Amino acid sequence: MDVTAILLNYKRPREMARLVESLKGQSVPVRIMMGDNAEEPFPRPKDVDAYARLSWNGACYLRLFLAFYADTEYVMYMDDDRKPKDSHFVRDALAVAREHPGGITGAAGRRFSRTPPHYHSDVWGPAEIIKGFALLFERSLLSKV
């Protein structure tokens, strides 16, 4: 298995169940780790391989925490209100990431500018900011955090 998908739930149980189901239906195997940082406990979906809970909204702390425990070459952060467009989403993201080692692969990015606005609207290709809906990166990059 090459990819661990790290999901962060905050009060969206139906959306999380759909996302987990979609990830389990990918054309490449995906390990799923889930962080739950809602005040009320969220029942762990049956297809989640690892689960961590924080009883307060710790922003993305749980994502980073879980990423350090991933044992795959790549880690993918996915928002709980998104769902892959098809069963080849992870395979396609891996292909792009392997073409550009050492970077972060995402759906869209933004480029910086010296003049306002300091970033430009969505760009497809190399960018300075990667939008957070789905981010795929080599786990080895975590050693730089």
Side-chain angles (χ1 to χ4, degrees):
M1 201 172 295
D2 295 333
V3 179
T4 297
I6 299 180
L7 318 177
L8 187 59
N9 175 65
Y10 185 72
K11 299 181 179 182
R12 292 187 177 126
R14 278 195 300 256
E15 291 86 348
M16 183 60 71
R18 284 187 210 120
L19 176 56
V20 169
E21 181 182 342
S22 178
L23 288 170
K24 283 299 180 181
Q26 290 294 301
S27 60
V28 296
V30 178
R31 183 166 190 242
I32 299 175
M33 300 175 97
M34 183 181 130
D36 181 16
N37 65 357
E39 295 85 13
E40 293 297 318
F42 173 79
R44 175 182 174 169
K46 66 180 174 94
D47 288 328
V48 170
D49 300 301
Y51 174 90
R53 174 153 169 66
L54 191 59
S55 61
W56 50 277
N57 188 352
C60 293
Y61 170 76
L62 272 176
R63 278 184 176 172
L64 184 59
F65 173 80
L66 289 168
F68 279 107
Y69 286 94
D71 59 0
T72 54
E73 184 179 0
Y74 290 90
V75 171
M76 176 179 264
Y77 289 161
M78 294 202 67
D79 284 357
D80 60 355
D81 60 346
R82 303 294 169 158
K83 185 178 137 185
K85 67 179 181 129
D86 60 30
S87 64
H88 300 298
F89 177 79
V90 175
R91 181 202 67 187
D92 296 345
L94 269 173
V96 172
R98 288 180 172 137
E99 287 176 25
H100 305 281
I104 298 172
T105 300
R110 295 189 170 177
R111 291 199 179 120
F112 289 134
S113 169
R114 292 182 184 200
T115 59
H118 295 288
Y119 57 86
H120 297 278
S121 60
D122 295 353
V123 294
W124 304 97
E128 285 83 18
I129 299 172
I130 306 298
K131 291 180 116 179
F133 308 131
L135 303 174
L136 181 86
F137 56 92
E138 295 167 73
R139 189 184 168 284
S140 62
L141 291 177
L142 292 170
S143 65
K144 298 179 181 187
V145 172

